[in-house]
Amino acid sequence: MRDSAVDGFDIARPSFRPARADEAESVAPLVFASGVREFQFFLGVPAEACIAFLRFAFAANNGRFSFRRHRVAVAQDGEVVAVLAVHDGRVTLLDDPHVAFMLLRFFGFWLTLGILRRGLILESELPAPRRSQKLLAHCATYESARGTGIFSALFKDALNAGMLGTEPGRELVLDVLTSNTRAFELYRRLNFTESTRIRKRSPKLPPELESIRMSFQRNT
């Protein structure tokens, strides 16, 4: 890491741990930052409403936005400075029904119909993990702490903790926008490589949401 203090965050000796439900206020904006274009296309509402929904869904006990799927890097003052989520393909069967339920509770019936239609379009580009896969998602760092190595440290901590499921027969994958060259290069440094595309892209998908799926390569 290059800087030990960034905008009041002391990140010289961060700690890493599972996220907590009571951190929804600070983590939801980070989750939104991990995929601003994707979330705004999917939810079809302004940024503030996207973050409000993510805050609501993060505090839930289950689902792909739940705090239980997330791990955080925490500065010495207790502030969350980075986040990631892991979705295990063996336990994601009920994710879509759960998201639909959360959307209905938060947005109501008519808005949810449109959201679900856009979700099907987005899924053509960002497919759910297969049973043999874990999907790394919601990867984000507090803006002023980017470039300090904090996310790489969080990723390596999750890897060492066994959270990422990189044992033989299991594959760790992630998706990154083709336009996000900074993130692409970061994932390359973390030993991810581009995967061969196996699904046809939806013609209704906005061009700016074109993505690359990458796969983690174990050191041999």
Side-chain angles (χ1 to χ4, degrees):
M1 299 178 190
R2 292 195 295 271
D3 301 315
S4 62
V6 182
D7 277 8
F9 294 129
D10 185 353
I11 57 174
R13 286 180 291 276
S15 58
F16 309 102
R17 56 167 173 77
R20 302 193 307 254
D22 63 3
E23 292 171 322
E25 189 72 29
S26 58
V27 177
L30 276 176
V31 173
F32 177 68
S34 74
V36 172
R37 294 177 182 176
E38 296 95 323
F39 281 122
Q40 289 195 304
F41 171 75
F42 172 49
L43 297 175
V45 294
E48 295 80 4
C50 291
I51 294 171
F53 170 73
L54 291 171
R55 191 181 300 121
F56 167 72
F58 183 84
N61 284 322
N62 299 294
R64 69 184 59 158
F65 301 119
S66 169
F67 70 95
R68 295 183 184 277
R69 300 272 182 96
H70 292 77
R71 193 169 185 86
V72 294
V74 183
Q76 286 189 306
D77 61 2
E79 292 289 338
V80 173
V81 291
V83 64
L84 60 78
V86 181
H87 307 301
D88 189 329
R90 295 171 295 188
V91 296
T92 56
L93 182 63
L94 297 179
D95 276 8
D96 286 345
H98 185 271
V99 168
F101 173 70
M102 298 295 284
L103 291 169
L104 281 168
R105 288 184 61 193
F106 192 84
F107 290 110
F109 179 77
W110 293 111
L111 280 179
T112 295
L113 282 181
I115 293 171
L116 294 179
R117 284 195 294 266
R118 291 188 296 273
L120 290 174
I121 296 170
L122 193 59
E123 191 175 3
S124 72
E125 192 69 359
L126 307 174
R130 300 191 300 270
R131 286 187 59 83
S132 61
Q133 293 176 326
K134 282 192 174 183
L135 176 67
L136 184 66
H138 304 165
C139 302
T141 304
Y142 188 86
E143 185 174 5
S144 296
R146 292 170 190 167
T148 64
I150 191 71
F151 180 79
S152 296
L154 174 61
F155 173 81
K156 291 173 183 176
D157 171 78
L159 191 65
N160 292 336
M163 183 179 179
L164 303 182
T166 57
E167 67 272 14
R170 302 285 292 161
E171 183 184 20
L172 177 66
V173 298
L174 59 79
D175 298 294
V176 59
L177 293 177
T178 56
S179 60
N180 194 347
T181 55
R182 180 174 181 173
F184 180 78
E185 291 304 321
L186 168 63
Y187 298 138
R188 287 290 301 270
R189 292 195 297 273
L190 293 175
N191 225 26
F192 284 85
T193 61
E194 187 174 347
S195 301
T196 301
R197 186 178 183 89
I198 60 175
R199 296 184 62 164
K200 185 177 180 181
R201 182 171 294 116
S202 170
K204 297 180 180 180
L205 185 82
E208 63 269 19
L209 297 184
E210 181 179 346
S211 301
I212 303 169
R213 175 148 287 192
M214 305 183 76
S215 178
F216 182 70
Q217 305 300 309
R218 302 177 189 85
N219 291 319
T220 56

